[in-house]
Amino acid sequence: MKIGILGAMPEEIAFLGSRMGLERQTRMAQRDFLEGTWEGASVVLAYSRIGKVSAALTTALLIGTFRATHVILTGVAGALDRALRVGDVVIADRLMQHDLDASPLFPRYEIPLLGRSTFPCDLADSALTAAHAYIAEDFRRDVPPERAAAFGMSRPNVRRGLIVSGDQFLDDPAEGARIRGDLPEALCVEMEGAAVAQVCYEMGNVPCAVIRVISDDAGHSAAVDFTRFVRDVAEFLTGGIAARLVQSLHEEASRQDV
Ligand code: ADE
């Protein structure tokens, strides 16, 4: 087992990057891939940059070149579901691209010639368990109550469901309303997840998890809220949950080896 972990921005993978046992660093396709260990698990870490193409390329290299057998994407997202608050965690059980439209040649949202529009996340259950464990046991240690309060956060809620991805930072309430209307099950919006899940699917159903922490409400103040949240809090929640998931996947694999 080798677990590939990616984040679109350095802050989203800094938690693991600064704590892992680094064995090798390789520069490829203008990215750095950090190989090493985390709590005994073999990991490879990469910062992909923002957007679906960047994430797809990074995921393909993680699987094809660095031999990742499992992939975890972690980072922040804008809320679509009205009940979500800044700091809440969303675990994808499936993802799709909200900005893909090759109609009338193909049904809206369908990947042309692949015949599907959503992609599953096989590690959703394990990621959900990791999120609950992190929040119950580590969150208060990593994010002091005063800092959480500055974002109106107390104890984050965890949800599981559809995440949608597109190559736009969403800060227009009208566009948010359109996505909510067209895809009412979508919990949150970001810019990479559906690409990662599609590459995992096409490269042999590699099990993947997409872990998102809400940084903003995808409305007028999204960019300001996003920037503050990424600077002050995101590293711990996104990285802490991913680290828990790595640990549990490794423990599960070690039990199966015995
Ligand atoms: N990631 C975090 N917030 C986002 C937003 N509002 N739109 C797209 N991606 C995001």
Side-chain angles (χ1 to χ4, degrees):
M1 163 182 275
K2 186 169 181 185
I3 304 174
I5 302 151
L6 70 157
M9 298 184 299
E11 293 87 345
E12 293 169 330
I13 53 165
F15 184 95
L16 278 161
S18 60
R19 293 165 176 81
M20 69 184 273
L22 182 64
E23 287 166 6
R24 188 168 38 211
Q25 182 161 345
T26 309
R27 191 150 177 85
M28 188 175 290
Q30 303 182 34
R31 288 148 171 77
D32 289 316
F33 292 83
L34 311 182
E35 291 173 275
T37 54
W38 172 265
E39 302 276 342
S42 177
V43 296
V44 49
L45 207 69
Y47 139 58
S48 69
R49 295 202 300 273
I50 295 171
K52 290 183 292 186
V53 174
S54 298
L57 171 57
T58 309
T59 307
L61 288 171
L62 282 173
I63 298 169
T65 302
F66 292 91
R67 299 284 161 215
T69 56
H70 297 66
V71 171
I72 300 171
L73 167 67
T74 188
V76 296
L80 290 173
D81 186 288
R82 302 266 184 219
L84 284 168
R85 299 282 168 263
V86 168
D88 286 347
V89 177
V90 179
I91 305 296
D93 59 11
R94 61 201 195 285
L95 296 108
M96 63 187 289
Q97 297 182 40
H98 68 76
D99 59 351
L100 179 63
D101 187 358
S103 63
L105 302 178
F106 297 90
R108 191 171 178 198
Y109 304 121
E110 185 173 300
I111 312 287
L113 308 177
L114 198 59
R116 61 187 298 156
S117 52
T118 62
F119 295 90
C121 288
D122 291 343
L123 302 178
D125 286 340
S126 307
L128 202 69
T129 306
H132 283 296
Y134 175 80
I135 289 164
E137 292 165 32
D138 301 339
F139 175 66
R140 280 188 193 288
R141 176 201 66 199
D142 292 345
V143 183
E146 323 77 76
R147 199 176 326 157
F151 292 91
M153 294 167 63
S154 51
R155 186 188 167 101
N157 289 313
V158 185
R159 302 273 302 275
R160 171 197 168 118
L162 174 67
I163 294 182
V164 295
S165 313
D167 283 315
Q168 304 82 24
F169 184 83
L170 201 72
D171 64 351
D172 173 3
E175 181 61 6
R178 183 204 58 81
I179 298 176
R180 280 189 197 92
D182 290 347
L183 300 167
E185 288 179 26
L187 294 176
C188 64
V189 60
E190 39 83 303
M191 302 177 69
E192 295 84 20
V196 171
Q198 181 179 341
V199 171
C200 287
Y201 170 82
E202 291 196 56
M203 293 189 77
N205 283 320
V206 173
C208 71
V210 176
I211 301 163
R212 291 295 186 180
V213 181
I214 300 300
S215 58
D216 58 80
D217 67 357
H220 284 310
S221 63
V224 176
D225 297 342
F226 167 91
T227 307
R228 282 179 58 227
F229 189 81
V230 166
R231 188 191 60 208
D232 293 346
V233 180
E235 170 182 345
F236 301 104
L237 269 160
T238 58
I241 296 169
R244 283 265 180 174
L245 178 55
V246 168
Q247 215 172 319
S248 76
L249 292 174
H250 175 63
E251 283 164 10
E252 198 180 312
S254 308
R255 273 197 302 276
Q256 281 165 8
D257 282 351
V258 175

